[in-house]
Amino acid sequence: YHKRIVQNIILRTDHCLNLRDYFSHNIRYKLQAGKNWSAGYTFSQDAEEKFSKQLPWVDSFNYYIKYKNTILGRYRLKLGSGLIINQQFSLGKSIDSDAFLQNGTSYSPHSSTEEYNYLQGAITKIDLRHFSFVSFASFKTIDASIKNDTITSIATDGYHRTKNELQKKNAATVFNTGF
């Protein structure tokens, strides 16, 4: 009996020549052992963003651990043919209408550099005799403008370069759960 262990490391750096030297970078790592285990993380830093004190060269950090039908960390979810929640929507390169008609529930680890469209926590799928049961919980912070204890807008671009953008960073928390 032999389990195959696969490791992928991707390092990308973009160097922009503007008035000053700015650069962006991201590092992705994925470890997969057989069909049941996988884990990964992604570090990213956008151009012109200042380095943080917690992780000096990282603005965004995505991570996950997957075992069989359970994911801990960051993940994407589609429920009710995407009408209830859909974080996996993509038009892709095809205009085929069948892509819109795919139904059911699906979820996957979030391993991209996108800083907004994901859930953070745990999700699991339990297969019973005649049906499947999906349960999830997520607690995360989001970038938002807040005025008088009310969220007036949600920032989805992930940039934290200016004073105004830094004030929005992690300003609100979101809790989602369901089955």
Side-chain angles (χ1 to χ4, degrees):
Y1 178 73
H2 179 276
K3 279 192 172 183
R4 183 175 176 189
I5 297 176
V6 178
Q7 295 185 59
N8 297 322
I9 299 174
I10 300 171
L11 173 63
R12 192 188 99 210
T13 301
D14 297 326
H15 188 72
C16 304
L17 295 175
N18 293 337
L19 297 175
R20 294 179 237 151
D21 287 339
Y22 298 116
F23 69 95
S24 66
H25 64 275
N26 66 59
I27 300 169
R28 294 183 197 192
Y29 177 78
K30 180 180 179 183
L31 173 67
Q32 185 167 352
K35 294 180 181 179
N36 293 329
W37 281 97
S38 68
Y41 62 82
T42 303
F43 294 121
S44 70
Q45 178 80 27
D46 295 321
E48 299 184 36
E49 288 186 339
K50 294 180 180 178
F51 294 127
S52 70
K53 293 178 181 175
Q54 294 88 5
L55 293 170
W57 45 276
V58 175
D59 176 58
S60 173
F61 175 57
N62 296 332
Y63 57 91
Y64 70 90
I65 298 172
K66 181 179 179 186
Y67 177 68
K68 292 186 179 181
N69 292 331
T70 302
I71 299 174
L72 301 174
R74 294 186 177 177
Y75 57 92
R76 293 181 180 215
L77 173 63
K78 181 179 92 169
L79 290 175
S81 300
L83 296 174
I84 298 172
I85 187 170
N86 190 1
Q87 297 171 318
Q88 297 178 338
F89 179 74
S90 173
L91 292 176
K93 298 177 184 175
S94 172
I95 57 170
D96 187 8
S97 64
D98 289 340
F100 295 105
L101 300 176
Q102 295 174 351
N103 58 9
T105 299
S106 65
Y107 58 94
S108 63
H110 174 64
S111 59
S112 87
T113 58
E114 186 177 23
E115 297 180 32
Y116 178 70
N117 197 22
Y118 64 87
L119 295 173
Q120 178 176 294
I123 186 167
T124 190
K125 179 180 175 186
I126 300 168
D127 292 318
L128 300 174
R129 181 175 267 169
H130 298 291
F131 64 94
S132 296
F133 180 78
V134 175
S135 178
F136 70 95
S138 170
F139 184 81
K140 70 174 190 168
T141 59
I142 60 170
D143 296 350
S145 295
I146 298 178
K147 188 174 187 179
N148 299 328
D149 293 334
T150 303
I151 296 175
T152 57
S153 68
I154 297 174
T156 61
D157 57 10
Y159 290 124
H160 307 113
R161 303 164 299 189
T162 65
K163 184 178 179 181
N164 190 31
E165 290 171 346
L166 286 169
Q167 286 176 341
K168 295 177 186 179
K169 184 176 182 177
N170 299 332
T173 56
V174 178
F175 177 72
N176 295 306
T177 187
F179 57 90

